[in-house]
C-alpha cells in the first residue's frame, strides 16, 4: 500500500525492483538488506541529500508493505501478485520486449493478455510515483518494464519533470515495427522530458521509430512532440523531448578499493592455485541469458582445444552463469543447452588434473567476483547484443595492476567506449578464436598499454558522472556559482589545441545582459577585446549566432568585420561578404503578410506587447506586459495563427513568442558554420532554449556552455556574460600558450 506516503519527495526513482532483498525469519520478523548495485550506489547520496524516494516491487509476490526507510532511503513498495509476475514481468517484459529489443536473438512472443497486464502494472507504478512526488518533483523512471509510466505520470501530474532511462538496446525500426503495440510504447516513452539510451545508435533507432510512426519533427537529439487536446498534432503547440545516449557505468572506485584489499588479493591467488595454476586463466561472468553469447564462447574455446591451438594443461576457462529468469521457458532451454555443451567439452578435453571449463551456476558475493576478475588473465565478454555490459567495466576497474586482456563483443554498448579492448564479432567463430589466441599470447607491454587506456575511460565516466549528466540534462543546475569551474577549464584546454576552432556565440543573455528593449542590448565591457584576441589567432573563427534579425544583430553587437554572423535562427547568414544570404518563396511571403496582420492586431490591443520584424517571421515580445496580459497575448496569437497558418514554426523564448514561415534553428546555423569554416572543434555558448538546438548538434569533442539556470544539453554552465568573457580570454590565452586564470 502506498496511500500512507505523503507527496513530499522532490526526487523519485521508479524501477521494477526496489534495491533491497527481503528476508523473513521463522517468527515472522521481516528484514531488508540493500542489494548492492551500481544504480543504488550512484543515486544513494543524491537520494539522501535531495529528499528522494524509490518506488518499486520488493521482490515478494502478493504482499503489501507500507513505505519504509532502509539505509536512509525511503522505499515505496508496489504490490505485484503471481499473475502480474507471470504476465507483466516474465511474459511481456522478458518474453516479448527483451528478445525483441535484443535484435530477436530469440523469438519474441506477442500475447494480448500479457500486454494488458503490462498496461495494468505500469499504471500501478505510475500511480504510486504520482502519490509520493512533491509538486514540480523530478521523477526518473528506469528500464523496459516501465515504458508506459512516463506518459501515465505526465497525464496525472503535468507539473512533474520526467526522465526515462532504457538499460537495454533499442532495436532498429525493421525489428521494432514487429511489435503490435509499437505506437503505444513510443507514446508512453514520449511522456518523458529526457529519454536516455546506452548508445548513440539506440537513441537514433528510437528517434527514427518516432519519425516513421508519428512523423514528428526531429533535429539531432531533439524531438518536437505535439501537445494539445484531441488527436496528436492538431494545435501546433509542441513539447521538446530529448532522446540521447548516456552510457551507464559502475562505481569504479569501490571496485578498485575491493581489489586492493589484501584478503581479496589472497583469495585471487588461491583461486588460481585451486585451478592448478594454469598459465592462462580465462573468465566469463554473465547472467545465464541467451543475449550473452555463452554458447558462442564455448564453441570457440572448444574448437581451440580440438585444434590444439590451446591446451587444458595451459588454459582454464572459468564460467560463472548466474541464475536468471528461471521460470521463463527459453531460459530453461538455454540452461540445458549450455550445460550440455560444458559437459561435452569437459568430457572431451579435461584430464584428471586439468579441467577445461570450471562452470558455476551460482551467484557470488561481490568480493568473490572481484577476486575472480583479479585472478583472470583474459576476460571474455561475447554478448550477441547487450545494452552496456557492466562486467567488462568491472574487470577494467579492478585491474589496478594495469594487466589483463579484455576480449569484448562489438555488440555490447561498452564497445563504444572501450575501444582498446580486443573487439570481436561473436558470430564469427574463427575471428573469435583468433582474438582469444591473441589475448592469451599478448605481450606484457601491449597489455599494459591497452589496459591503461581502458582504465582511463572507466575512471572518467563512472556511475556518478553518468547519473549527474542525466539529471543535469533533465533538470538544469541549481544556483550557478561565479567563475570558471575546473571541469570547464579542462575542456577549454582540450579545444584550445584544435587545428581549426570555431567559437560560436549567442548574443543576448550570453555576451550582453537581457534588457527590456532589445535595441538597447550591448555586450558587457571587455567582450570586444576578448573577441579581438581570438580573431588575432590563426586557425580560429568567431561567429555570432542569434535569433535576432541580422540587421538588428549588427546594430547591437557592432561586430568586427571578420566575425561571421547568422541571424533569425540561421535563416540569415553573412559569411566574409557584405551580402546577407536569404531567400523566401512567394508562398512564404504571403504567409508573412497574414502573420503581420494577426500579430499587429493583437499587440495593438494588449498593453505592453510589441512586435519585432524578422526576415522570415515575427516575434511577439511580452516582457513589458503584465504576466496576465502576456499570457493572454501569447494564447491569442497561438490560437489565431494555429487556425490560419497551421504550418508555422513556433518558438518560445523568455517572454517572447516567435513565428517563422521558414523553419531553421541555431543548430542549423552551427552546422552551416562548421562546414564553412572546416572547424574540427566547436565551442558554443548560449543561454536560451533556442540555444539547445545548437547544443544538440555539438559533437563529443566540442564544448557547449550554458549561461544561467535551466535544463540544458550543454556539458558546462557558467553564471553570466561576465564568465563568458573570461572564458573567451582563457581560450585565447591557452591557444597562444599563456595561461591566465580567473
Ligand atoms: C542490464 C543490461 C546493462 C553477475 N553475476 C553476479 C553478479 N553479477 C553482476 C555483475 C554486473 C551485473 O550483475 C550484470 O550487469 P550487466 O551489465 O553485465 O548485464 P545485465 O544484468 O543484463 O544488465 C546491460 C545493465 O543493465 C546496466 O544498465 O549494462 O546491458 O542488459 O554488475 O557484476 N554480481 C554478484 N554475484 C554474481 O554472481 N555479486
Amino acid at each position: 500500500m502506498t496511500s500512507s506516503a505523503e507527496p513530499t519527495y522532490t526526487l523519485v526513482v521508479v524501477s521494477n525492483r526496489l534495491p533491497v532483498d527481503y528476508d523473513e525469519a521463522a517468527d515472522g520478523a521481516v528484514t531488508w538488506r540493500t542489494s548492492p548495485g551500481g544504480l543504488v550506489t550512484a543515486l544513494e547520496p543524491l537520494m539522501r541529500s535531495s529528499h528522494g524516494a524509490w518506488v518499486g516491487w520488493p521482490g515478494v509476490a502478493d504482499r503489501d508493505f507500507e513505505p519504509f526507510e532502509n539505509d536512509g532511503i525511503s522505499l515505496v513498495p508496489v504490490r505485484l501478485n503471481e499473475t502480474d509476475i507471470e504476465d507483466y514481468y516474465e511474459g511481456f517484459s522478458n518474453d516479448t520486449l527483451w528478445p525483441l529489443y535484443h535484435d530477436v536473438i530469440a523469438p519474441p512472443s506477442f500475447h494480448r493478455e500479457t500486454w494488458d497486464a503490462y498496461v495494468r502494472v505500469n499504471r500501478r507504478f505510475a500511480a504510486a510515483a504520482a502519490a509520493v512526488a512533491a509538486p514540480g518533483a523530478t521523477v526518473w523512471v528506469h528500464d523496459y518494464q516501465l515504458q508506459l509510466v512516463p506518459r501515465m505520470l505526465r497525464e496525472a501530474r503535468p507539473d512533474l519533470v520526467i526522465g526515462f532511462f532504457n538499460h537495454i538496446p533499442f532495436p532498429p525500426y525493421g525489428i521494432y515495427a514487429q511489435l503490435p503495440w509499437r505506437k503505444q510504447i513510443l507514446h508512453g516513452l514520449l511522456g518523458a522530458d529526457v529519454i536516455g539510451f546506452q548508445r548513440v545508435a539506440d537513441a537514433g533507432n528510437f528517434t527514427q521509430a518516432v519519425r516513421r510512426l508519428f512523423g514528428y519533427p526531429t533535429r539531432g537529439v531533439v524531438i518536437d512532440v505535439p501537445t494539445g487536446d484531441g488527436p496528436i498534432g492538431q494545435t501546433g503547440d509542441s513539447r521538446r523531448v530529448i532522446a540521447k545516449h548516456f552510457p551507464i557505468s559502475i562505481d569504479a572506485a569501490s571496485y578498485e578499493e575491493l581489489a586492493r584489499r589484501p584478503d581479496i588479493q589472497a583469495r585471487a591467488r588461491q583461486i588460481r592455485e585451486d585451478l592448478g595454476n594454469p598459465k592462462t586463466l580465462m573468465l566469463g561472468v554473465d547472467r545465464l541469458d541467451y543475449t550473452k553469447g555463452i554458447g558462442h564462447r564455448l564453441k570457440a574455446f572448444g574448437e581451440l582445444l580440438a585444434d590444439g591451438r590451446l591446451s587444458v594443461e595451459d588454459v582454464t576457462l572459468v564460467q560463472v552463469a548466474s541464475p536468471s529468469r528461471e521460470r521463463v521457458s527459453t531460459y530453461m532451454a538455454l540452461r540445458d543447452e549450455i550445460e550440455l555443451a560444458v559437459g561435452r567439452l569437459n568430457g572431451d578435453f579435461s584430464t584428471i588434473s586439468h579441467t577445461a571449463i570450471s562452470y558455476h551456476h551460482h551467484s557470488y558475493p561481490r568480493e568473490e567476483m572481484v577476486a575472480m576478475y583479479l585472478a583472470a588473465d583474459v576476460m571474455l565478454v561475447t554478448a550477441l547484443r547487450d545494452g552496456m555490459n557492466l562486467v567488462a567495466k568491472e574487470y577494467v576497474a579492478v585491474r589496478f595492476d594495469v594487466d589483463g586482456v579484455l576480449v569484448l563483443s562489438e555488440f555490447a554498448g561498452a564497445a563504444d567506449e572501450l575501444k582498446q579492448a580486443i573487439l570481436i564479432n561473436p558470430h564469427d567463430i574463427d575471428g573469435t578464436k583468433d582474438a582469444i589466441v591473441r589475448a592469451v599470447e599478448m605481450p606484457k607491454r601491449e597489455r599494459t598499454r591497452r589496459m591503461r587506456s581502458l582504465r582511463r575511460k572507466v575512471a572518467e565516466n563512472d556511475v556518478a558522472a553518468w547519473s549527474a549528466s542525466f539529471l543535469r540534462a533533465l533538470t538544469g543546475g541549481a544556483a550557478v556559482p561565479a567563475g570558471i569551474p575546473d571541469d570547464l577549464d579542462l575542456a577549454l584546454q582540450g579545444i584550445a589545441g584544435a587545428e581549426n576552432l570555431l567559437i560560436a556565440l549567442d548574443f543576448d543573455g550570453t555576451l550582453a545582459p537581457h534588457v527590456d528593449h532589445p535595441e538597447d542590448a550591448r555586450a558587457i565591457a571587455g567582450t570586444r577585446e576578448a573577441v579581438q584576441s581570438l580573431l588575432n589567432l590563426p586557425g580560429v573563427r568567431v561567429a555570432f549566432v542569434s535569433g535576432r534579425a541580422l540587421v538588428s544583430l549588427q546594430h547591437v553587437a557592432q561586430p568586427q568585420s571578420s566575425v561571421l554572423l547568422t541571424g533569425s535562427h540561421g535563416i540569415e547568414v553573412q559569411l566574409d561578404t557584405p551580402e546577407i544570404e536569404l531567400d523566401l518563396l512567394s508562398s512564404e511571403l504571403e504567409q508573412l503578410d497574414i502573420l503581420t496582420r494577426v500579430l499587429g492586431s493583437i499587440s495593438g490591443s494588449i498593453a505592453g506587447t510589441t512586435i519585432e520584424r524578422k526576415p522570415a517571421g515575427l516575434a511577439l515580445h511580452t516582457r513589458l506586459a503584465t504576466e496576465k496580459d502576456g499570457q493572454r497575448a501569447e494564447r491569442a496569437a497561438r490560437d489565431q495563427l494555429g487556425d490560419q497558418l497551421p504550418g508555422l514554426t513556433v518558438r518560445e523564448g523568455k517572454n517572447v513568442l516567435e513565428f517563422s514561415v521558414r523553419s531553421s534553428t541555431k543548430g542549423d546555423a552551427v552546422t552551416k558554420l562548421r562546414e564553412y569554416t572546416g572547424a574540427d572543434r566547436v565551442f558554443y555558448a548560449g543561454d536560451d532554449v533556442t540555444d539547445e538546438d545548437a547544443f544538440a548538434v555539438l559533437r563529443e569533442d566540442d564544448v557547449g556552455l550554458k549561461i544561467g539556470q535551466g535544463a540544458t544539453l550543454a556539458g558546462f554552465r557558467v553564471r553570466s556574460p561576465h564568465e563568458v568573457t573570461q572564458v573567451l580570454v582563457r581560450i585565447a590565452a591557452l591557444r597562444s600558450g599563456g595561461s591566465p586564470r580567473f
Side-chain angles (χ1 to χ4, degrees):
M1 291 288 288
T2 57
S3 54
S4 62
E6 294 296 321
T8 56
Y9 296 98
T10 51
L11 173 66
V12 179
V13 172
V14 191
S15 66
N16 174 60
R17 272 291 262 116
L18 281 176
V20 284
D21 287 324
Y22 161 91
D23 213 0
E24 189 168 348
D27 65 357
V30 170
T31 46
W32 297 98
R33 256 176 307 107
T34 308
S35 47
L39 204 56
V40 206
T41 324
L43 297 176
E44 216 170 36
L46 207 70
M47 299 287 277
R48 284 189 228 274
S49 64
S50 67
H51 198 44
W54 199 309
V55 175
W57 178 50
V60 236
D62 286 315
R63 286 284 299 266
D64 280 328
F65 295 102
E66 288 297 319
F68 61 97
E69 281 234 344
N70 183 65
D71 268 356
I73 301 185
S74 301
L75 301 174
V76 181
V78 176
R79 179 192 164 113
L80 294 186
N81 62 32
E82 271 299 338
T83 322
D84 295 331
I85 294 166
E86 248 169 62
D87 292 348
Y88 143 80
Y89 181 66
E90 292 169 350
F92 199 78
S93 299
N94 288 335
D95 205 28
T96 301
L97 293 173
W98 181 269
L100 185 78
Y101 280 31
H102 287 89
D103 286 358
V104 296
I105 295 167
S109 63
F110 300 119
H111 296 297
R112 282 161 288 186
E113 314 80 68
T114 62
W115 162 252
D116 291 343
Y118 187 79
V119 177
R120 179 179 77 229
V121 173
N122 269 248
R123 198 164 283 134
R124 205 176 303 153
F125 274 83
V132 297
T138 299
V139 183
W140 189 1
V141 184
H142 288 265
D143 229 358
Y144 62 104
Q145 303 95 346
L146 301 175
Q147 294 174 96
L148 304 178
V149 170
R151 173 70 58 181
M152 291 169 170
L153 263 179
R154 178 165 300 281
E155 278 166 6
R157 293 283 307 272
D159 59 303
L160 299 176
V161 178
I162 303 166
F164 180 89
F165 185 77
N166 197 48
H167 290 254
I168 67 173
F170 195 90
Y173 182 71
I175 290 176
Y176 182 72
Q178 292 179 19
L179 185 66
W181 306 277
R182 58 196 187 184
K183 280 198 164 181
Q184 289 92 319
I185 296 264
L186 286 193
H187 185 60
L189 288 169
L190 288 170
D193 297 292
V194 175
I195 309 172
F197 296 92
Q198 303 277 29
R199 306 180 88 156
V200 178
D202 298 320
N205 288 343
F206 173 78
T207 308
Q208 201 199 4
V210 171
R211 269 201 309 271
R212 295 282 292 268
L213 290 170
F214 290 133
Y216 296 162
T218 65
R219 293 180 310 278
V221 299
V222 180
I223 304 174
D224 286 324
V225 178
T227 52
D229 310 326
I232 300 160
Q234 293 287 293
T235 67
D237 290 2
S238 67
R239 207 166 53 76
R240 178 164 302 200
V241 174
I242 287 166
K244 186 179 176 291
H245 65 293
F246 295 87
I248 199 170
S249 192
I250 56 165
D251 182 9
S254 82
Y255 274 91
E256 178 164 345
E257 209 173 287
L258 284 176
R260 286 183 183 274
R261 260 174 44 187
D263 57 327
I264 291 181
Q265 289 178 29
R267 175 64 194 146
R269 284 191 295 274
Q270 184 69 47
I271 290 172
R272 290 190 73 100
E273 206 158 295
D274 290 350
L275 290 165
N277 274 325
K279 262 199 214 137
T280 305
L281 199 161
M282 298 204 289
L283 176 66
V285 172
D286 313 82
R287 272 189 311 96
L288 186 44
D289 195 295
Y290 50 81
T291 60
K292 304 290 182 182
I294 303 172
H296 291 62
R297 183 181 318 165
L298 295 178
K299 187 167 177 54
F301 183 56
E303 286 191 16
L304 285 170
L305 293 176
D307 300 345
R309 290 174 76 188
L310 295 181
S311 111
V312 288
E313 315 289 319
D314 299 329
V315 182
T316 298
L317 170 62
V318 174
Q319 177 63 54
V320 175
S322 340
S324 182
R325 305 176 191 170
E326 294 185 286
R327 302 197 320 184
V328 179
S329 62
T330 328
Y331 287 76
M332 295 178 198
L334 174 76
R335 181 172 177 195
D336 289 345
E337 193 187 301
I338 296 297
E339 293 182 355
L340 183 69
V342 170
R344 284 234 169 104
L345 284 173
N346 276 338
D348 286 346
F349 299 107
S350 296
T351 61
I352 296 291
S353 48
H354 297 283
T355 308
I357 303 172
S358 173
Y359 172 81
H360 309 270
H361 184 249
H362 304 296
S363 268
Y364 290 99
R366 188 183 287 188
E367 288 76 5
E368 182 71 1
M369 308 285 301
V370 170
M372 286 193 221
Y373 291 145
L374 270 180
D377 305 292
V378 176
M379 182 80 214
L380 298 179
V381 176
T382 58
L384 304 176
R385 186 48 89 193
D386 213 336
M388 176 55 60
N389 195 291
L390 297 181
V391 166
K393 292 190 170 180
E394 288 164 6
Y395 179 66
V396 169
V398 157
R399 299 312 299 248
F400 68 92
D401 58 348
V402 203
D403 204 352
V405 184
L406 174 64
V407 175
L408 175 62
S409 163
E410 62 191 61
F411 299 114
D416 278 5
E417 295 166 272
L418 304 184
K419 297 214 166 73
Q420 285 301 316
I422 301 193
L423 295 180
I424 56 155
N425 168 6
H427 296 283
D428 170 8
I429 299 291
D430 283 338
T432 303
K433 284 163 65 181
D434 292 344
I436 292 175
V437 172
R438 193 168 157 215
V440 170
E441 292 174 352
M442 188 178 283
K444 173 98 168 83
R445 272 173 71 113
E446 187 179 349
R447 298 202 299 262
T448 310
R449 183 173 55 75
R450 286 174 181 266
M451 185 52 82
R452 179 163 298 128
S453 137
L454 292 172
R455 286 178 60 74
R456 204 172 307 127
K457 272 278 170 204
V458 172
E460 264 168 21
N461 183 28
D462 68 356
V463 74
W466 166 77
S467 64
S469 80
F470 186 89
L471 289 169
R472 212 167 35 230
L474 188 58
T475 62
V480 186
I484 302 180
D486 288 345
D487 58 345
L488 170 59
D489 196 68
L490 207 65
L492 297 181
Q493 292 173 30
I495 56 157
E499 205 172 314
N500 283 308
L501 176 62
L502 169 64
I503 307 284
L505 306 162
D506 167 46
F507 184 75
D508 296 273
T510 298
L511 300 179
H514 283 290
V515 288
D516 284 345
H517 300 282
E519 64 277 16
D520 294 341
R522 290 294 177 272
I524 62 158
T527 306
R528 193 177 178 80
E529 293 72 22
V531 168
Q532 188 60 51
S533 61
L534 287 165
L535 293 173
N536 293 342
L537 295 168
V540 180
R541 296 302 315 253
V542 179
F544 291 171
V545 178
S546 177
R548 285 174 182 263
L550 220 143
V551 279
S552 155
L553 176 64
Q554 284 166 329
H555 173 71
V556 292
Q558 305 276 320
Q560 288 94 327
S561 61
S562 55
V563 173
L564 305 168
L565 298 178
T566 76
S568 307
H569 302 282
I571 290 173
E572 296 173 290
V573 185
Q574 193 179 27
L575 306 170
D576 295 317
T577 55
E579 290 86 46
I580 297 178
E581 296 169 30
L582 163 82
D583 54 335
L584 283 180
L585 308 169
S586 64
S587 59
E588 289 171 329
L589 288 168
E590 278 166 30
Q591 291 184 326
L592 207 51
D593 273 351
I594 303 176
L595 181 62
T596 313
R597 237 183 306 119
V598 171
L599 289 191
S601 91
I602 291 173
S603 85
S605 63
I606 301 181
T609 61
T610 52
I611 286 181
E612 184 194 350
R613 279 177 192 283
K614 305 244 168 177
L618 240 63
L620 177 68
H621 289 274
T622 57
R623 195 182 290 276
L624 300 176
T626 62
E627 199 185 329
K628 212 162 144 211
D629 279 350
Q631 284 171 358
R632 192 155 60 89
E634 291 193 359
R635 207 166 22 225
R638 280 180 188 277
D639 287 351
Q640 293 178 34
L641 291 167
D643 287 346
Q644 295 187 41
L645 298 171
L648 281 188
T649 300
V650 189
R651 197 176 283 117
E652 211 176 323
K654 282 180 197 151
N655 299 312
V656 56
L657 202 56
E658 266 192 56
F659 298 90
S660 318
V661 296
R662 166 75 59 88
S663 98
S664 171
T665 68
K666 289 181 176 176
D668 298 325
V670 169
T671 304
K672 214 176 287 176
L673 287 165
R674 188 198 294 275
E675 248 167 53
Y676 176 75
T677 58
D680 51 324
R681 305 286 281 273
V682 175
F683 170 88
Y684 186 90
D687 74 309
D688 198 16
V689 283
T690 58
D691 294 303
E692 293 304 313
D693 291 315
F695 295 133
V697 300
L698 294 186
R699 299 176 186 160
E700 207 169 316
D701 287 344
D702 297 336
V703 174
L705 181 64
K706 161 94 177 169
I707 292 80
Q709 298 185 19
T712 187
L713 287 174
F716 304 92
R717 192 188 296 273
V718 291
R719 181 140 86 181
S720 69
H722 291 278
E723 278 79 13
V724 179
T725 304
Q726 291 178 7
V727 164
L728 300 182
V729 172
R730 176 83 177 131
I731 297 174
L734 283 166
R735 193 157 172 99
S736 53
S739 59
R741 259 302 323 243
F742 291 87

